[in-house]
Amino acid sequence: MTIPTLEWKPGFAKLEWEDKQVIMVMTRFSEESRRVYAYTCVGNTTSNSARHLHEGDLILTSTRDKGVLAKHLATIRTDIALVDWQTMIEQACVMVLRKHMAGEPIVRVGNLPTPERPRWQLWPMMPMGDCTLLFGEGGVGKSLFGIAAGLAIQTGWTGLKLAPHIGNVLCLDWETSDEVVNERIKAIKKGAGLEESTLYYRYCTQSLSRSLPQIYADIAEKAITFVIIDSAIAALGSETRDPATSASEMFNSLRAARVSSLVITHTSKEQMGHKTPYGSVFFYNRARSVWEMRKSQSPGEDTVNVALFHRKSNTSKLWHPLGYQIEFVGDDEIRFTSTEISQMPGLEAGLPLRQRILALLEDGPFSTKAIAEALGAPLTQVSVRLSELRKAGKIGRDEEDEWTLA
């Protein structure tokens, strides 16, 4: 009996016996009570397309299960001659189990050559090959910004004042529809003056874990380098048992795909004052970069001011906040303009105190007390920050002993 070829990715296995014209695909791996399950499809490739022979769950570690499947396949009339189904199924289970249980190989690190790939998928916001988490209250524009970021990566557009590494983008959407996303893309393209450009899109209804086999296949076929998940809680579905399990399932799946990703989620209602992502510490800790998005808008206005604050980074320093003015022109155009957050009423309070002090001093000299009152900050904190800024050579005192920019 010949050994089949094996195409393997975490969560996906494809075996083919060319001489027997048999193909077997295993997906949706799971483990329970020391048993390993896989959803298994068997086909006959005697024609141009694979003919279906069997589809169903298989316990890879069960002698009985493998025997039952072999007997079932032997009863199906096919164009395949002299097939030893028992041996072929045993081959498949052994080869796949070894891959599934082995995981990634151990390598020596410390003297490996520096990889040629860039560090950033979208500098300085989204590191290459890692997960970025974007959270905020409902309606602040997270999904819209995610699409704009995706267009930047797909086309090289720099209208967000971020530096993209170009690659194919896949949007996995549990929130809206292809019609809505399509119109948003067209509106952003019109506002940015972009020519023909599109993103790959998948309308999602099942949980991420159930959709993984096809998603992995799509990533490979379309050469996807960046994935948008909108949103995290919807993607988890109803299968998860607790927040820790939920976070692990999602981030392990993205890690196995070896792509850069943006996961969009909401602010936890139970901790609104602390501004943490829904799922709390588990989602926060697993993401490599975490950004919070806030907005300021008056009812009836066509312009929205949004600010993104860098809350966590495992791969770089924390970056300064990013500010954008989003203008809705009619019903078919959206314009993004990079803007200083210090000039955004209602959002400047999210800036570090040092930056707020510098922005205030652009309007003229102030005393320590006046600065504290204007910024609504404790006098002691203001005094400390003023001392730091003076040592850094950014501010000084005038003739009336008030603080001014250096």
Side-chain angles (χ1 to χ4, degrees):
M1 175 67 71
T2 57
I3 303 299
T5 59
L6 172 62
E7 178 186 343
W8 168 260
K9 294 180 181 179
F12 175 87
K14 178 181 177 181
L15 303 103
E16 184 170 2
W17 293 260
E18 292 187 7
D19 61 329
K20 298 299 182 183
Q21 296 179 305
V22 172
I23 187 171
M24 189 177 298
V25 176
M26 297 182 181
T27 59
R28 299 181 185 176
F29 290 85
S30 62
E31 297 184 31
E32 184 178 343
S33 300
R34 302 182 67 179
R35 294 180 175 182
V36 180
Y37 295 78
Y39 193 75
T40 304
C41 302
V42 184
N44 174 1
T45 60
T46 52
S47 58
N48 291 332
S49 59
R51 175 194 169 196
H52 169 79
L53 297 178
H54 170 79
E55 186 171 342
D57 287 322
L58 174 65
I59 304 176
L60 278 61
T61 50
S62 169
T63 301
R64 180 182 178 280
D65 243 38
K66 291 181 281 189
V68 169
L69 177 57
K71 290 180 180 178
H72 170 68
L73 289 170
T75 65
I76 301 175
R77 183 179 178 181
T78 69
D79 298 328
I80 311 171
L82 301 175
V83 172
D84 183 354
W85 287 112
Q86 187 73 47
T87 300
M88 293 172 70
I89 293 170
E90 184 66 22
Q91 282 181 329
C93 291
V94 169
M95 293 174 68
V96 172
L97 277 171
R98 286 176 178 173
K99 286 288 188 180
H100 176 74
M101 301 170 99
E104 295 293 325
I106 294 176
V107 297
R108 285 185 175 272
V109 295
N111 289 317
L112 295 176
T114 301
E116 296 182 0
R117 74 174 190 175
R119 288 186 58 203
W120 297 93
Q121 186 74 64
L122 187 63
W123 179 90
M125 190 175 181
M126 304 175 191
M128 179 69 74
D130 283 327
C131 177
T132 298
L133 186 69
L134 176 63
F135 75 97
E137 297 178 8
V140 299
K142 302 182 296 296
S143 298
L144 186 64
F145 181 83
I147 293 172
L151 277 173
I153 293 168
Q154 186 73 47
T155 65
W157 173 51
T158 57
L160 298 176
K161 302 304 179 183
L162 305 174
H165 180 73
I166 295 177
N168 288 336
V169 177
L170 171 63
C171 179
L172 301 177
D173 182 19
W174 281 263
E175 296 283 338
T176 55
S177 66
D178 53 350
E179 291 91 349
V180 171
V181 173
N182 181 68
E183 292 306 309
R184 288 176 176 175
I185 291 174
K186 290 197 295 184
I188 295 172
K189 288 195 300 183
K190 184 175 181 180
L194 294 173
E195 298 298 328
E196 291 299 320
S197 54
T198 58
L199 307 182
Y200 288 109
Y201 175 91
R202 181 182 175 93
Y203 182 93
C204 299
T205 55
Q206 292 185 319
S207 67
L208 178 63
S209 61
R210 286 189 173 273
S211 306
L212 279 177
Q214 186 57 51
I215 290 172
Y216 284 151
D218 291 339
I219 288 173
E221 179 184 350
K222 310 295 185 186
I224 301 296
T225 62
F226 183 70
V227 174
I228 301 169
I229 292 183
D230 190 8
S231 63
I233 301 306
L236 295 175
S238 59
E239 302 172 2
T240 52
R241 296 175 293 278
D242 59 75
T245 302
S246 302
S248 293
E249 287 180 351
M250 170 167 291
F251 289 107
N252 288 344
S253 299
L254 293 171
R255 181 176 173 83
R258 294 184 178 274
V259 293
S260 308
S261 59
L262 174 66
V263 175
I264 297 171
T265 191
H266 302 287
T267 298
S268 173
K269 291 183 178 180
E270 298 176 359
Q271 301 182 36
M272 291 291 266
H274 300 288
K275 298 297 181 184
T276 58
Y278 188 93
S280 189
V281 69
F282 303 108
F283 284 85
Y284 186 88
N285 286 347
R286 285 299 302 268
R288 301 295 86 187
S289 182
V290 178
W291 292 77
E292 179 190 356
M293 188 170 185
R294 301 181 186 178
K295 82 167 184 178
S296 175
Q297 180 186 28
S298 299
E301 288 188 349
D302 295 327
T303 300
V304 181
N305 291 323
V306 299
L308 290 92
F309 300 94
H310 202 190
R311 300 307 188 197
K312 177 208 168 184
S313 176
N314 288 85
T315 58
S316 71
K317 66 181 181 180
L318 289 178
W319 294 93
H320 292 300
L322 306 173
Y324 298 97
Q325 184 181 80
I326 305 175
E327 184 180 2
F328 296 86
V329 183
D331 295 327
D332 63 349
E333 183 176 353
I334 300 174
R335 299 174 184 171
F336 280 80
T337 305
S338 179
T339 308
E340 288 292 331
I341 297 177
S342 59
Q343 306 302 316
M344 296 181 177
L347 293 175
E348 75 283 357
L351 290 170
L353 185 54
R354 286 172 54 132
Q355 287 183 250
R356 295 170 63 198
I357 291 173
L358 291 174
L360 180 64
L361 292 180
E362 291 179 358
D363 295 332
F366 288 85
S367 67
T368 302
K369 183 179 180 181
I371 292 173
E373 291 177 348
L375 300 181
L379 186 62
T380 53
Q381 290 185 18
V382 170
S383 297
V384 171
R385 299 296 172 260
L386 287 169
S387 178
E388 293 172 350
L389 289 169
R390 186 177 190 178
K391 289 179 180 179
K394 295 184 179 295
I395 62 173
R397 289 186 181 272
D398 63 9
E399 299 174 352
E400 299 181 3
D401 206 29
E402 291 187 330
W403 296 101
T404 63
L405 294 175

